Amino acid sequence: MKKTRNITPLKKGIYINLCLAALLAVVFIIGCGVGRYRMSPQQVLAVLAGGGDNYGRLALFEIRLPRLVLSVLVGLGMGVSGVIMQDLMHNDLASPGTLGVSAGSGLFVTIYVALIKQRDSNPFLMPILALAGGLLSAGIIFLLGMKKGQRIQPTRIIMTGVAMNSAFGAISMFFMLLLDNTKLEFLQRWQSGELWGTEWEFIAVFSVWLVIFLFLTYRKSLTLNVINMGYDVARGLGVDVGRQFVYMSVCAVALSSSAVAFGGNFFFLGLIGPHIARRMVGTDARVLLPASAIVAAIIVLTADMLVRGLAMLANIPTGIVISVISVPYFLYLLIRS
């Protein structure tokens, strides 16, 4: 009789992550060739290797690569942030958008555009304010949603986040009414998910920030697994739930706020990315975190390719396309469950 080799869920998740990483690389290469100046994958690889013609090098290095790299970074940040929030809250509908974190970032960006933004303004001020808005929003939500001396109540935090989301949205709308047409158009496109931070200096800062917080998150993946089993179980196993909850929450907010700051409002990624990844690799955070990050990055790349490749979608913010292609799958998941 032939012996069958059992593959553990962890190993299976690792194999799936490797396949997802390969798929991400393929989509990235294809995306490099999409645009008005079409390039085959062979031409793209030739340009990346130092060859190709002047038009190919200009289109790839000056226009497409910054946008594609930014798309990947936004997907990585939002995908990991969504996993953290859903596991901490024990709720599959938790995300940077539903908890009001993205709304806090949006409020600060709106105030910046309405009151501060000038032609000679520091280009890094807007991302910094977006990040500060997300952190402040999360702090207020957790402060109002958690009572001193009582255990963590995810439902209370989520409901507080929904309320703060509405409040921040109303304040943002008030400031938007004060804007002229130029600023209003920029803000509307940013809120719809416009990939605006396509300068290499932005991408460099964003990359360093992501690497730091992705590392800080992944090193706590086993702790996240224990918390996901239940707060009482985690306490029984010696986990300081309160401290770890705050630690992981700060990581999630830092990741999502930076993605929103540099890439626009892509909160739906933090909701749909973890759902798709969880069905592929399971709930082990050691494989779920990278899987969700890669899935979200593939979604952003695919949506961006559609925007740049289809004439009917020209000048449409990438976030709108993401919602269009993601909502049907999310409704399918709800029907199946």
Side-chain angles (χ1 to χ4, degrees):
M1 296 179 62
K2 294 183 178 180
K3 294 183 178 179
T4 58
R5 180 177 299 177
N6 294 325
I7 300 179
T8 63
L10 179 60
K11 287 185 177 180
K12 180 181 177 181
I14 294 174
Y15 294 149
I16 293 176
N17 271 302
L18 292 175
C19 293
L20 286 173
L23 177 60
L24 176 62
V26 171
V27 175
F28 189 91
I29 295 299
I30 295 175
C32 289
V34 175
R36 291 186 179 181
Y37 181 75
R38 299 279 179 173
M39 299 171 64
S40 66
Q42 292 79 9
Q43 290 176 307
V44 171
L45 293 175
V47 173
L48 291 176
D53 55 27
N54 292 332
Y55 291 107
R57 289 192 291 270
L58 176 64
L60 187 58
F61 291 112
E62 298 297 329
I63 301 174
R64 296 177 187 172
L65 268 185
R67 188 179 179 95
L68 291 169
V69 172
L70 179 62
S71 299
V72 173
L73 295 177
V74 168
L76 295 179
M78 294 302 290
V80 172
S81 177
V83 172
I84 298 172
M85 291 186 174
Q86 290 176 13
D87 283 357
L88 289 180
M89 301 296 171
H90 300 156
N91 191 311
D92 290 343
L93 293 180
S95 73
T98 57
L99 289 179
V101 175
S102 297
S105 297
L107 173 60
F108 272 53
V109 170
T110 302
I111 294 175
Y112 165 74
V113 174
L115 304 179
I116 302 175
K117 189 175 186 300
Q118 302 293 335
R119 295 195 176 193
D120 57 348
S121 298
N122 189 332
F124 289 100
L125 187 57
M126 177 176 164
I128 292 174
L129 288 176
L131 178 59
L135 292 173
L136 178 62
S137 173
I140 295 174
I141 291 168
F142 290 129
L143 183 63
L144 296 177
M146 298 173 63
K147 288 187 175 181
K148 186 176 181 180
Q150 293 186 1
R151 293 185 176 183
I152 298 170
Q153 300 179 7
T155 302
R156 182 183 177 89
I157 294 176
I158 292 174
M159 294 304 295
T160 304
V162 172
M164 295 304 297
N165 198 354
S166 300
F168 290 147
I171 299 173
S172 297
M173 183 61 65
F174 169 78
F175 280 102
M176 288 177 66
L177 295 175
L178 305 177
L179 301 178
D180 57 36
N181 291 334
T182 302
K183 291 183 177 181
L184 181 60
E185 181 182 1
F186 168 79
L187 197 58
Q188 287 176 333
R189 295 186 66 84
W190 178 86
Q191 290 183 336
S192 299
E194 179 70 84
L195 291 166
W196 73 273
T198 54
E199 301 292 335
W200 284 116
E201 55 185 1
F202 288 127
I203 294 173
V205 174
F206 189 17
S207 300
V208 173
W209 183 270
L210 271 186
V211 168
I212 292 173
F213 282 97
L214 288 176
F215 171 75
L216 293 176
T217 298
Y218 193 79
R219 66 190 293 266
K220 292 290 186 178
S221 56
L222 291 177
T223 303
L224 194 61
N225 282 339
V226 176
I227 293 177
N228 190 37
M229 296 170 61
Y231 299 136
D232 292 333
V233 174
R235 291 188 184 94
L237 295 175
V239 175
D240 188 341
V241 175
R243 179 175 297 179
Q244 296 302 324
F245 189 95
V246 173
Y247 174 91
M248 298 302 297
S249 297
V250 170
C251 290
V253 172
L255 290 170
S256 63
S257 296
S258 60
V260 168
F262 288 97
N265 201 344
F266 289 89
F267 72 88
F268 204 86
L269 282 174
L271 185 63
I272 196 66
H275 277 273
I276 298 175
R278 194 173 284 111
R279 293 173 67 90
M280 299 176 69
V281 302
T283 59
D284 190 338
R286 291 174 293 178
V287 290
L288 178 58
L289 288 171
S292 178
I294 297 173
V295 167
I298 292 174
I299 292 175
V300 182
L301 283 177
T302 303
D304 187 59
M305 281 194 297
L306 293 175
V307 169
R308 292 184 291 112
L310 298 179
M312 62 180 295
L313 297 179
N315 206 34
I316 299 296
T318 306
I320 294 178
V321 179
I322 290 175
S323 298
V324 170
I325 64 179
S326 298
V327 167
Y329 181 78
F330 185 68
L331 293 177
Y332 165 75
L333 291 179
L334 291 178
I335 293 173
R336 284 292 302 271
S337 61

